[in-house]
Amino acid sequence: MTAVAAPDVGARDPAGPALAFRQTLSLSRRAVISTLRKPAAFVPGLFFPLLMAAVYSSQFDRVTATPGFPEVDSFLQFILPATILQGVAFGSTIGGVEMAQDIESGFFDRLTSAPVARPAIFLSRVAGSAAFAAVEALILIGVLTAFGARVSAGFGGVAAIVVISVFLAVALGGFGLAIAIRSGNAEVVQGIFPAIFALLFVSTAFFPPSLMKGWFRVIAEANPVSTVIDAMRHLVIVGWSTAEFGKAIAVLVAISAVSLSLAYSQYRHRVKA
Amino acid sequence: MTAIASGPVLGGLLRRSVLRLRRMPSVLVPALVMPLFFLVSYSGSFDGLTNVEGYGTDNIVNWMVAWSLMMAASFSGSGASGVIGTDIDTGFLDRLLMAPSDRWVVLAGPLLYSMVRAAISTTLVLIAAALLGADFPGGVLGLLSTYVGCAGMALAIGCLGSWVMLVMRDVQAQALVQLMIFGGTFLSIGQVPVDFMTGWLKVVARYNPVTFVLRLIRQGFLGPVAWDTTWPGLVALAGMTVLFGGLALRTLYRYES
């Protein structure tokens, strides 16, 4: 009987960069398809932000006439960035949940023992989340635009919002992946949800900072989510701004560097274990 | 077989739930974290609402605290459904139903427990609101109407949750109850008065029973207690309790393992 060589667990890339890239693409496609096959996982992430947008625009439309409120067509236009941010933030945990499910079902072990480039297994989840975020952002912009919310920066602004959404999904998804790989438990990953909720609510997502007071305003303005929201809001209600777009991307790249480093170190640890 | 009097069974079931609460006070945490978080974040975020004419108060905490109390009471009510759901999962409900006592007692025990939980969470949210600077011009009567409103809401949601749990027979159906709580409270005067609203939400919020209960709970924070605000809240609570309680009892009496 011919002896089968055990896969080199420590190998960085046993298959070469071109093959590794193709494997990453295949696994990314699998990640997107598996998400789309589970509407129960992603529909609430689209429905809940849209419901909140509908409720808030009906409740707070009068507030747009208050001194200090930015000049907007309607509250729906003001809340458009927050709606996208909510949808993308909630959806960003799906990649982590699915990674944990792969670990629970043993599929992760089968992948790591197959001749698949190690980074491909990890990067495919990140790429899948990013692709899904782009689709989510486009759907949410489409729905709110149909109800009268206008993106002042035009198609360029829409493209910039989609790019910001992709970076946001990577930045937040990295934390979900780190928890998934560390715990190997989907329920633990879902525990990240209240933290995302808290980050969103203690920010300038739902109301302008000019109408906030005291310590809450200080925290909301210091929250990195506010930098991202303010950039998206500038594109929606004022127009194009390279500086605002750059600030949002810079913040998200910095968060991504932390979250992905954390996730990748957990990943290497699990693969070696 | 001689039937056991309902009183001692009811007392036993209530004691069992309260003992569980004493052994694991952490079960109160999820029902408190969300309302307290909303109290802090909404009061901070939407402070500017008080600048708009007709908001009803110049202190945002006075408005938002009622919504927070409502959520805390509702989550306490869903605790009753959690007890029933767990009893279904573990098979304890089947054993309870075989006991020679009235079936309604099986439902009444967890419902009383939900009211005890609501009293605790109401007190804790009131303390948090006082620390955040809430005023209470309604005095003792206002406090009474707040506690009655919260206990009544816990009872009504307890009935709703128990009905859902008896129909679904799965403790995970509690997520559905929580979704209903969010829906009911968001589509009401939780954040702004009805006159602030426009379109479909104005109609829904105006007739949502939760709106009347919120007015009952909130009145002590905005001014003196008025009968015109009190009785619609009491009627809404009674209506929800009779409707959901009736459905839960009907399902319980038809329940077979």
Side-chain angles (χ1 to χ4, degrees), chain B residues 97-122:
Chain B
L97 293 176
M98 281 194 294
S101 63
D102 289 327
R103 282 201 163 192
W104 65 266
V105 177
V106 174
L107 197 61
L111 290 176
L112 277 179
Y113 163 65
S114 74
M115 292 167 81
V116 171
R117 276 180 62 158
I120 297 169
S121 58
T122 301

Side-chain angles (χ1 to χ4, degrees), chain A residues 9-272:
Chain A
V9 184
R12 279 188 173 191
D13 181 1
L19 186 58
F21 180 71
R22 284 204 299 278
Q23 288 171 341
T24 307
L25 278 184
S26 298
L27 288 171
S28 304
R29 200 163 50 238
R30 172 185 174 264
V32 173
I33 291 170
S34 68
T35 302
L36 290 176
R37 280 188 182 153
K38 291 179 209 153
F42 70 85
V43 168
L46 286 171
F47 177 75
F48 189 65
L50 285 173
L51 175 72
M52 283 187 82
V55 170
Y56 284 169
S57 62
S58 175
Q59 283 187 337
F60 300 141
D61 218 31
R62 264 179 75 174
V63 188
T64 57
T66 313
F69 202 94
E71 258 186 54
V72 286
D73 298 341
S74 63
F75 197 84
L76 193 66
Q77 189 191 28
F78 179 82
I79 201 108
L80 189 149
T83 307
I84 295 166
L85 199 121
Q86 275 182 87
V88 172
F90 295 158
S92 67
T93 58
I94 296 174
V97 170
E98 289 187 346
M99 175 69 103
Q101 284 169 340
D102 280 352
I103 294 169
E104 283 172 330
S105 68
F107 185 71
F108 180 86
D109 288 337
R110 278 188 282 154
L111 268 182
T112 51
S113 58
V116 175
R118 293 288 140 71
I121 302 170
F122 176 80
L123 289 175
S124 61
R125 280 292 167 202
V126 179
S129 297
F132 190 67
V135 175
E136 269 189 308
L138 282 171
I139 292 173
L140 291 169
I141 292 171
V143 173
L144 295 196
T145 306
F147 281 92
R150 184 175 58 90
V151 179
S152 298
F155 284 113
V158 172
I161 290 171
V162 172
V163 171
I164 292 173
S165 302
V166 165
F167 275 85
L168 180 73
V170 172
L172 295 180
F175 291 113
L177 279 177
I179 295 168
I181 298 166
R182 171 85 183 176
S183 67
N185 185 316
E187 264 185 66
V188 176
V189 183
Q190 281 162 339
I192 199 176
F193 184 82
I196 291 177
F197 212 64
L199 265 177
L200 279 176
F201 272 86
V202 187
S203 74
T204 57
F206 301 105
F207 236 55
S210 52
L211 294 179
M212 295 175 186
K213 276 193 278 194
W215 62 269
F216 191 90
R217 181 176 178 167
V218 175
I219 294 176
E221 286 185 320
N223 185 346
V225 169
S226 298
T227 309
V228 178
I229 269 288
D230 292 346
M232 288 165 97
R233 189 160 284 147
H234 194 96
L235 294 164
V236 172
I237 64 177
V238 180
W240 178 261
S241 165
T242 308
E244 290 288 332
F245 177 66
K247 260 198 282 183
I249 296 296
V251 164
L252 291 171
V253 166
I255 299 173
S256 300
V258 174
S259 68
L260 291 180
S261 304
L262 209 62
Y264 198 65
S265 71
Q266 293 300 325
Y267 174 72
R268 284 172 64 93
H269 182 74
R270 181 173 276 276
V271 169
K272 278 182 187 164

Side-chain angles (χ1 to χ4, degrees), chain B residues 2-19 83 87 92-93 95-113 252-253:
Chain B
T2 316
I4 304 173
S6 299
V9 180
L10 185 61
L13 286 172
L14 176 63
R15 204 161 44 245
R16 169 178 170 255
S17 298
V18 172
L19 267 178
V83 171
D87 285 350
F92 188 69
L93 185 74
R95 282 187 280 157
L96 274 178
L97 293 176
M98 281 194 294
S101 63
D102 289 327
R103 282 201 163 192
W104 65 266
V105 177
V106 174
L107 197 61
L111 290 176
L112 277 179
Y113 163 65
L252 184 70
Y253 275 97

Side-chain angles (χ1 to χ4, degrees), chain B residues 222-246:
Chain B
L222 303 182
V225 170
W227 179 242
D228 286 351
T229 310
T230 306
W231 74 260
L234 295 176
V235 169
L237 284 172
M240 287 192 286
T241 305
V242 168
L243 173 66
F244 299 132

Side-chain angles (χ1 to χ4, degrees), chain B residues 117-132:
Chain B
R117 276 180 62 158
I120 297 169
S121 58
T122 301
T123 306
L124 293 175
V125 174
L126 282 173
I127 291 169
L131 291 174
L132 286 170

